[in-house]
Amino acid sequence: MKAIVVTDQAAGTAGMKLAERAEPQAAINDVVVQIHASGFVPTELTWPPTWTDRHDRDRTPSIPGHELAGVVTSLGYGTTGLSVGQRVFGLADWYRDGTLAEYVAIEARNLAPLPGDIDFTVGASLPISGLTAWQGLFEHGRLQAGQSVLAHGAAGAVGSMVTQLAREAGAHVIGTGRAADRQKALDFGAKEFVDLEDDALEDVGRVDLVFDVIGGDIQKRSAGLIRAGGTLVTVVGPAEARPADGLAVDFVVESDRAQLTEIVQRVRDGRLRTNIGTVSSLDDAVATFNATERRAGKTVIRVRP
């Protein structure tokens, strides 16, 4: 099969190559999926599991990519809950070869059914962004109706999901980003927008929840905006600053079939829009990842036409 492989962490996306790899086999509780589309997050090339296994041993050449949509082609021993020929989407294990390939072996529990009226490109754009937003808001942030949310990067792949899901839950959403992101963030449901380059972040006042995808100085300043009992949720590593009278939670997103099902149902009925920036073929993926300009939103690779 064709696959994108990486061997040199220092090279980043410039070290990606299109290569021939053996098709994967399904282990116990696995399925093999013929991939139709794959999502990609460039920062994963800085994550340790891309390069080493759970025992810290080198596992290169590895196949990156963790989001997928496709069709089940075979079942491993003992696998239940899915069937050959079924359309699925989901989130692959961080420590295993990923989804920038024609096939992937993946634990069945990491997949959910993909309805027939949802395009594979849309399905592949949902898992990381959708699950990150869902888990950050509802599991870790304990968001309730009537609360206020400061959503950093509100025009990005994760931030736009945070904005929409928080708005649907009855929260008042304040989005942030660059000036050029203002209208897009408002279109996704933010009630207010803060230009992080020219506006004073502190002018937003106190909020119940900050969803941080930036870190650094913005995160530190955001911690000071959280009301007593509120929460700073971050996906960029341990928080460098903590609210004076609240919680700081950093987390790594996990696959969850029930949550994936909730997310895709919202896409089906129009309550949730995915945020796709660039779509490319597998043959053109390396060039796409190394382009000098990248559009905001998720990059999706169409593996099959």
Side-chain angles (χ1 to χ4, degrees):
M1 68 173 184
K2 290 191 294 186
I4 302 296
V5 298
V6 291
T7 57
D8 182 358
Q9 185 170 2
T13 55
M16 288 179 151
K17 294 180 180 179
L18 184 65
E20 288 289 331
R21 294 290 297 271
E23 289 187 17
Q25 301 298 310
I28 294 173
N29 296 324
D30 274 359
V31 299
V32 172
V33 177
Q34 183 183 54
I35 298 173
H36 285 243
S38 169
F40 178 68
V41 180
T43 54
E44 72 179 67
L45 296 186
T46 68
W47 303 344
T50 301
W51 308 99
T52 59
D53 65 16
R54 286 181 169 84
H55 299 285
D56 203 31
R57 297 173 301 206
D58 179 84
R59 70 177 192 89
T60 59
S62 55
I63 300 172
H66 294 284
E67 299 172 283
L68 75 148
V71 176
V72 175
T73 58
S74 66
L75 307 178
Y77 180 78
T79 299
T80 60
L82 297 173
S83 57
V84 171
Q86 186 170 7
R87 301 171 94 251
V88 293
F89 76 119
L91 183 61
D93 189 294
W94 310 122
Y95 286 93
R96 297 176 65 172
D97 275 344
T99 61
L100 290 176
E102 293 181 304
Y103 295 88
V104 68
I106 180 173
E107 285 189 81
R109 64 177 180 173
N110 290 338
L111 297 168
L114 181 69
D117 56 354
I118 299 295
D119 185 79
F120 288 114
T121 302
V122 172
S125 73
L126 293 172
I128 287 181
S129 301
L131 290 170
T132 298
W134 188 284
Q135 291 167 18
L137 288 171
F138 305 125
E139 290 188 359
H140 304 296
R142 305 181 308 267
L143 182 66
Q144 302 292 321
Q147 292 185 325
S148 53
V149 176
L150 182 63
H152 286 308
V158 173
S160 60
M161 288 286 183
V162 171
T163 298
Q164 293 176 88
L165 289 172
R167 178 203 61 198
E168 186 200 19
H172 179 89
V173 183
I174 305 163
T176 79
R178 299 183 179 91
D181 298 330
R182 178 183 299 272
Q183 192 56 52
K184 190 172 183 181
L186 295 175
D187 289 344
F188 275 116
K191 294 297 184 183
E192 303 176 51
F193 183 83
V194 178
D195 176 355
L196 292 176
E197 295 174 331
D198 293 320
D199 296 338
L201 179 61
E202 288 71 19
D203 286 350
V204 305
R206 299 287 178 174
V207 297
D208 297 293
L209 190 154
V210 171
F211 203 116
D212 170 50
V213 297
I214 299 174
D217 182 62
I218 294 297
Q219 182 194 91
K220 293 176 183 178
R221 292 164 62 193
S222 299
L225 303 177
I226 294 174
R227 290 192 179 100
T231 308
L232 168 68
V233 174
T234 180
V235 294
V236 292
E240 299 178 45
R242 309 184 74 84
D245 189 15
L247 296 175
V249 179
D250 67 279
F251 75 101
V252 176
V253 64
E254 298 179 349
S255 192
D256 186 294
R257 181 178 290 175
Q259 292 172 6
L260 286 169
T261 301
E262 290 280 359
I263 290 163
V264 79
Q265 182 58 46
R266 283 163 170 75
V267 175
R268 293 184 77 193
D269 61 25
R271 288 179 287 163
L272 189 64
R273 287 187 291 130
T274 190
N275 186 359
I276 298 173
T278 302
V279 178
S280 176
S281 69
L282 187 62
D283 288 341
D284 295 331
V286 173
T288 298
F289 297 145
N290 286 283
T292 54
E293 293 186 10
R294 183 172 294 148
R295 296 172 61 186
K298 176 72 65 176
T299 298
V300 177
I301 302 303
R302 289 286 302 198
V303 178
R304 293 180 61 80

